[in-house]
Amino acid sequence: MEMIRVSSSAIRAIGYDAASRRMRITFTEGHTYDFCGVPISVFNGLLHAGSKGRYYNDNIRDRYQC
């Protein structure tokens, strides 16, 4: 999965595989997590969010468990 580096104080990089709807997030502290069944709209929302940490907390955290 290709990872895209992002400008964020909380998130270092994000990636998305459309075929499996799996999203991967690498946080600035170094941990990487996978999220399953993620709609492309949620990935694009995170990619373009002004505050990626806030978008993550509001739309992804505690959802899309693998």
Side-chain angles (χ1 to χ4, degrees), residues 3-14 24-33 35 46 51-54 56-57:
M3 297 297 286
I4 302 166
R5 291 191 60 87
V6 295
S7 177
S8 169
S9 60
I11 296 172
R12 181 181 302 152
I14 61 174
R24 182 169 293 150
I25 301 176
T26 300
F27 291 89
T28 54
E29 72 268 3
H31 296 97
T32 298
Y33 298 98
F35 301 86
L46 178 60
S51 171
K52 292 175 179 40
R54 181 175 296 131
Y56 170 80
N57 285 332

Side-chain angles (χ1 to χ4, degrees), residues 16-63:
Y16 187 76
D17 179 69
S20 65
R21 295 178 54 181
R22 182 178 294 246
M23 181 170 63
R24 182 169 293 150
I25 301 176
T26 300
F27 291 89
T28 54
E29 72 268 3
H31 296 97
T32 298
Y33 298 98
D34 283 1
F35 301 86
C36 294
V38 179
I40 187 72
S41 59
V42 172
F43 169 73
N44 284 327
L46 178 60
L47 184 61
H48 299 291
S51 171
K52 292 175 179 40
R54 181 175 296 131
Y55 187 91
Y56 170 80
N57 285 332
D58 292 346
N59 299 284
I60 301 166
R61 185 178 185 168
D62 297 327
R63 302 179 189 180

